[in-house]
Amino acid sequence: MFDITFVDTYWSLLPALIAIALALITKEVYSSLFIGILVGGMLYSNFSFTGTIEHVFTDGMIAQLSDSWNVGILIFLVVLGTMVMLMNRAGGSAAFGKWAVAHVKTKAGAQVSTIILGMLIFIDDYFNCLTVGSVMRPVTDKHKISREKLAYLIDATAAPICIIAPISSWAAAVTGFVDGANGLTLFVRAIPYNFYALLTIVMMFGLTFMNFDYGAMKKAEEHSQVKDFKNALGEGEGLLGAVDQPHPPTSVKGRVIHLIFPIASLIVCCVIGMIYTGGFFSGESFVDAFSGSDASVGLVYGSVAALILTVIFFMATRVLGFIECMNSIPEGFKSMVPAILVLTLAWTLKSMTDSLGAANYVAGIFENFADGSAVMSFIPAVVFVIGAFLAFATGTSWGTFGILIPIVVNVFGSNMGNELMIISISACMAGAVCGDHCSPISDTTIMASAGAQCDHIKHVSTQLPYAMTAAAVSFVAYIISGFIRNWLICLPLGIVIMLGTLFVIKQKAK
């Protein structure tokens, strides 16, 4: 065998890069991820056959599926799939679709409604993706908005909204990574500097009201105008490219309340579940309980409670019988199988890159920069790029937070009075969300595809030009903020640059 060590070197990035490249070339995500995983196992074991098998399956896949956090997320997904199936079978989604079709008269109105609903559901990005997708799909279909565009609107109002919402599972995760400073206070102060998230919102509204698209998205939108959505997705193609998804009968008794009640129950119960895990009912304040919550467990508690309430409500209003409600459970599970499979493979790939020290390698690059003689004012822009690259390669925002935020805090000595530290931490969060937004192996990107019932690779390829546009403007904004260090000046300037960029692109697109 080879005596070369591949750990903590640039080789550690190879598995993720191979998986991403293959996914974009072959348009097939399962085999691409698995090949990336195999490459990671071979590099870690120095190309030992038995070592590769053990590392891939024992240290990788089985370990990831044994992790309590991951299992909690999978349970949450299954329950959400069941809730979506229940809402569909009860006719709640169809009733809302009819109501929205009657009240939302224009294509722009349908897009704005999708964006606003996505902004209102800020508790968790998974919850956001699946709920907004199931609710708005009939409306966007009616106005011939492509599934690719719907997936982009869902994805762009998932992580970017959660990362600027103090009451969200993401805020809880970020505050948990900050040592030596008040995590939640720091998170709130960083919000105005989170240029990628804020400018993505500006970009969505800008594209809607300027009424144009560009790149691969323009082709998808043009295609949706001349063919129905089944043909636009491909014959028989469904969730993440899967076929034979269930299409159960819909109750004719369904009303809009049969959609609103389950969603409201999910929001309320998930908040209660999260603050419960943070010790709210043991005397902790609401803010401390939320920032100290276990999001995975809290979301499981909340979603299961909401599922029970929904079943009782549907039976009480006679829209579905007990047997029909119970039949929705395996149907909801089946609808989530493609997403669960991709998540499992993505988590396993992440464990391969972790074991190879990809995080340490990238973090080392940043530390060398921070300790060097380079101008400190450029640190936010550099952190943004490194965060985006790391999240893109690993497919995880939270892992990127966990790596870079402690480094940034240490570089600035946990000095909350240093505005540059606040900007740099915000740049880390923005970069992580940007990379996550672009990556085909990101769980949020996968969930957005699932929510919109859009082919996953098509979603990635159409979204990428939009995400890169927001990233480029954000990079410029971080260079400016490194010198000016005042969000009251930098944020409006970033918005003006974003709208100006869209105007130029529109003129070029003509």
Side-chain angles (χ1 to χ4, degrees), residues 76 86-87 147 159 182 208 229 258 267 273 320 370 415 441 445 450 461:
F76 177 58
L86 275 170
M87 289 187 288
R147 290 285 173 85
N182 186 314
T208 300
F229 285 98
H258 295 113
I267 293 173
L320 287 180
N415 181 9
I441 60 173
T445 311
S461 59

Side-chain angles (χ1 to χ4, degrees), residues 371-494:
D371 293 338
S373 59
V375 179
M376 291 293 284
S377 297
F378 285 102
I379 283 185
V382 174
V383 170
F384 175 75
V385 172
I386 293 174
F389 180 72
L390 187 57
F392 181 83
T394 60
T396 169
S397 295
W398 290 19
T400 304
F401 301 153
I403 296 157
L404 289 184
I405 288 180
I407 295 172
V408 172
V409 172
N410 289 334
V411 166
F412 290 97
S414 304
N415 181 9
M416 291 285 285
N418 190 334
E419 195 72 8
L420 193 59
M421 184 184 85
I422 306 296
I423 299 169
S424 298
I425 287 176
S426 190
C428 170
M429 294 190 286
V433 170
C434 174
D436 182 278
H437 205 183
C438 297
S439 177
I441 60 173
S442 157
D443 46 8
T444 313
T445 311
I446 294 162
M447 288 296 96
S449 302
Q453 289 193 359
C454 171
D455 177 71
H456 181 57
I457 300 302
K458 288 181 181 177
H459 166 46
V460 173
S461 59
T462 52
Q463 176 171 268
L464 199 55
Y466 287 12
M468 293 306 295
T469 302
V473 177
S474 299
F475 178 74
V476 173
Y478 279 116
I479 292 175
I480 295 169
S481 65
F483 289 92
I484 296 178
R485 305 181 189 182
N486 186 330
W487 70 267
L488 289 169
I489 298 172
C490 299
L491 181 57
L493 200 56

